[in-house]
Amino acid sequence: MNYSHDVAIVGYGPVGQLLAILLGSRGHRVVVVERYTDIYALPRAVHLDHEVARILQRIGIRPDEEPIIEPYDNWYEWRNAAGQTLLRVDWRGVGPSWWHTSNFFAQPDLERALDARVRRLPTVEVRRGLSAIAVGQDVSGVTLTVAPLRTTDPSPDLIRARYLVGCDGANSTIRNLLGLPVTDLGFFFDWLILDMIPDHPLTFDPPAWQLCDPRRPTTIVPGGPGRRRWEFMALPGEDINELNKADTAWELLRPWGVTPDNAQLERHTVYRFQSHWADRWRKGRVLIAGDAAHLMPPFAGQGMCAGLRDVFSLDWKLDLLLRGQADDALLDTYGTERTPHVRYFIDMSISLGQVICVPDAVQAEERDTRMIAALNDPSIAPPAPDPPRLGAGVFAAGDENAGLLSIQSEVLVNGVKTLFDDVAGYGWRILTTADSQAIRASLSDPAAELVDALEMRLLGLGCESPDLIDVDGRYSAWFAELGAEVVVVRPDFYVYAATTIERLDGVLGELAMQLGPGRPTAREDRRAAA
């Protein structure tokens, strides 16, 4: 059957925009449906981490070049009412993806930058002012019914696509139409969110911190270049409608020296911090991503980050499927991989929320005593958590490093220093400390055909004749940490396998099996082309 679109996307926030860019840049035909007739003008998300910065690097939005992103190079602290430090999170310097551990931005600016890239793609169509009202699917495709929101003729229209992805937020119409169940942890608090544009820069030490005062727990963080954000917790029994007034906002800001005479109140709203995730992320040819699939408190700054990771993982799987290089069952791994990863950050966010969301003075004093003791004596502090890891999915079986995020660092190419991704490209990669040409020559025919079919880059670092020179030794240290000679990295930057040269053939054979019988070999492709 001839479809108008390969993929339909409902929701044109950052998550839907990124997916449209990724699929459109691969040449797939994409249609995006959005309720709002223009970019939502008020701030919402304000934080992205090093991994998401690397994802944005993939589409040409670089923190070192984009004035809309403000890299953060300081501590993130939690203090009690007396000003004593309870917790210090080190956000200084760069993370494993080379970009700063934390970065701040204003969401409308990011959405405009993403929208500009969408508009350059001839295979992507954006249809605004439409609401999704029904979803139907059969063995060959999806039918999305949409209707205009503001018109005297609300006649529905039908959109036909091979797959549909709901990126339509916390109250997702797509999730509700599919009837996907949600696990709710019951952790929720109402907070007043204030986004400010000061007339002059405001100085805080550190610039991002939490005031754990039971009289009014408060968040103070950057809101992107030229902006600041305050968040004030609603106290038990407090009238939300009274809290969500401009006069109340200015009264709460007064102790901070912020007044209508020196700052603009850009936005005030009461938002309920919640924690839940969808038990299923796929039903047939329809999938969900972003806030449609999960919600978490903002204390770790991971809400939007998690959504962008969702579609960065989904993109390469849909691409293989649309090109006939993988079996439909590949999409079943999307939810199984992403759910544990999201739960890691939900649990982290709740743990941080349990520190600050304490309105009882006695409980707050007990918390302060416990946390100050742990800060002064690290031996009684909880152990540092393991790094986040993807759940079961497309990984080499039994590999203890599979599902971990790969690193990015600087490399030297022809005497020029640059970032790894900028020269290695995007897709499947095989990295080695040995001679890449010798490894390529040693592959069996089936393994070599898979490498060709998936256009895998085989790159040597640190060997006698490297393809890329490891400038600062980070790759050498990483290989030593993994205990590997060869690392197979997926298109979403996660480790498929960290192995030996001898086992590489078997690892590639396992990958071929996981992609399923739909995967053509390079030899078949060449015969078809001939």
Side-chain angles (χ1 to χ4, degrees), residues 70-119:
E70 180 181 6
Y72 187 85
D73 193 15
N74 211 312
W75 295 92
Y76 177 34
E77 288 198 5
W78 304 63
R79 298 173 178 169
N80 65 10
Q84 296 170 294
T85 299
L86 305 178
L87 177 68
R88 301 184 83 201
V89 181
D90 193 353
W91 278 357
R92 299 172 301 170
V94 298
S97 302
W98 182 257
W99 300 108
H100 275 77
T101 301
S102 290
N103 307 267
F104 288 90
F105 67 99
Q107 185 168 330
D109 292 340
L110 178 61
E111 289 194 26
R112 280 188 282 269
L114 292 168
D115 180 63
R117 284 157 177 79
V118 170
R119 292 175 183 273

Side-chain angles (χ1 to χ4, degrees), residues 200-521:
H200 305 286
L202 300 175
T203 302
F204 295 90
D205 184 22
W209 63 288
Q210 302 281 343
L211 173 59
C212 303
D213 185 346
R215 294 169 297 181
R216 178 74 74 181
T218 303
T219 297
I220 309 99
V221 294
R227 288 178 164 85
R228 294 290 307 182
R229 169 170 286 185
W230 275 263
E231 300 173 356
F232 298 95
M233 193 178 97
L235 301 176
E238 192 164 22
D239 187 334
I240 299 302
N241 294 321
E242 288 297 317
L243 183 64
N244 192 22
K245 289 184 176 180
D247 289 345
T248 304
W250 288 117
E251 182 63 24
L252 290 170
L253 289 168
R254 185 169 54 83
W256 304 94
V258 180
T259 72
D261 295 328
N262 60 23
Q264 174 189 339
L265 177 58
E266 186 177 24
R267 174 182 182 241
H268 65 89
T269 187
V270 172
Y271 186 79
R272 174 158 289 187
F273 297 166
Q274 301 181 69
S275 302
H276 68 236
W277 64 85
D279 297 334
R280 294 174 56 195
W281 296 38
R282 177 194 185 191
K283 189 172 184 179
R285 291 177 171 267
V286 185
L287 307 101
I288 56 174
D291 286 355
H294 46 75
L295 283 178
M296 67 188 74
F299 304 113
Q302 286 294 322
M304 187 199 72
C305 294
L308 296 181
R309 289 190 193 97
D310 292 344
V311 294
F312 199 61
S313 173
L314 185 57
D315 158 65
W316 68 266
K317 295 181 178 182
L318 279 172
D319 177 61
L320 288 179
L321 194 53
L322 292 170
R323 295 184 186 281
Q325 291 184 295
D327 188 77
D328 180 79
L330 179 64
L331 290 184
D332 289 334
T333 66
Y334 165 59
T336 62
E337 290 180 0
R338 291 294 307 138
T339 299
H341 199 274
V342 163
R343 289 189 60 179
Y344 176 98
F345 286 106
I346 290 176
D347 291 343
M348 175 192 292
S349 300
I350 290 177
S351 296
L352 294 173
Q354 289 169 338
V355 174
I356 189 173
C357 298
V358 180
D360 182 86
V362 174
Q363 293 177 2
E365 185 176 357
E366 294 172 350
R367 171 203 63 198
D368 296 353
T369 301
R370 183 179 65 255
M371 295 189 70
I372 290 172
L375 190 66
N376 292 331
D377 183 1
S379 69
I380 64 174
D386 293 330
R389 183 192 298 267
L390 295 179
V394 185
F395 301 109
D399 191 317
E400 63 181 12
N401 295 303
L404 294 175
L405 181 66
S406 69
I407 70 166
Q408 177 181 220
S409 190
E410 289 184 317
V411 293
L412 202 64
V413 183
N414 298 324
V416 178
K417 186 188 296 185
T418 186
L419 283 178
F420 175 82
D421 290 350
D422 291 340
V423 293
Y426 296 93
W428 287 89
R429 301 152 174 178
I430 303 175
L431 310 183
T432 181
T433 54
D435 187 326
S436 61
Q437 297 303 314
I439 290 179
R440 176 58 193 253
S442 71
L443 292 177
S444 65
D445 285 348
E449 288 176 356
L450 180 70
V451 168
D452 289 343
L454 296 183
E455 298 179 347
M456 289 182 165
R457 295 288 305 276
L458 208 169
L459 298 166
L461 296 107
C463 55
E464 291 184 2
S465 46
D467 302 293
L468 306 172
I469 296 175
D470 182 11
V471 172
D472 55 10
R474 290 183 78 208
Y475 282 102
S476 297
W478 183 55
F479 272 93
E481 179 185 338
L482 299 178
E485 296 173 303
V486 180
V487 182
V488 181
V489 180
R490 307 188 331 171
D492 55 5
F493 308 140
Y494 281 83
V495 173
Y496 175 82
T499 188
T500 62
I501 296 172
E502 290 74 20
R503 291 194 66 246
L504 179 59
D505 231 81
V507 164
L508 294 176
E510 185 176 357
L511 173 58
M513 293 291 293
Q514 289 171 336
L515 296 181
R519 181 194 59 80
T521 66

Side-chain angles (χ1 to χ4, degrees), residues 28-41:
H28 298 301
R29 299 162 300 170
V30 178
V31 59
V32 189
V33 173
E34 168 58 45
R35 291 171 55 88
Y36 290 107
T37 56
D38 202 352
I39 288 172
Y40 190 74

Side-chain angles (χ1 to χ4, degrees), residues 158-185:
L158 301 180
I159 294 174
R160 184 72 173 167
R162 295 173 65 183
Y163 292 92
L164 183 148
V165 184
C167 305
D168 51 341
N171 300 313
S172 171
T173 297
I174 300 302
R175 186 188 67 231
N176 292 331
L177 288 172
L178 295 179
L180 298 178
V182 171
T183 293
D184 193 326
L185 298 183

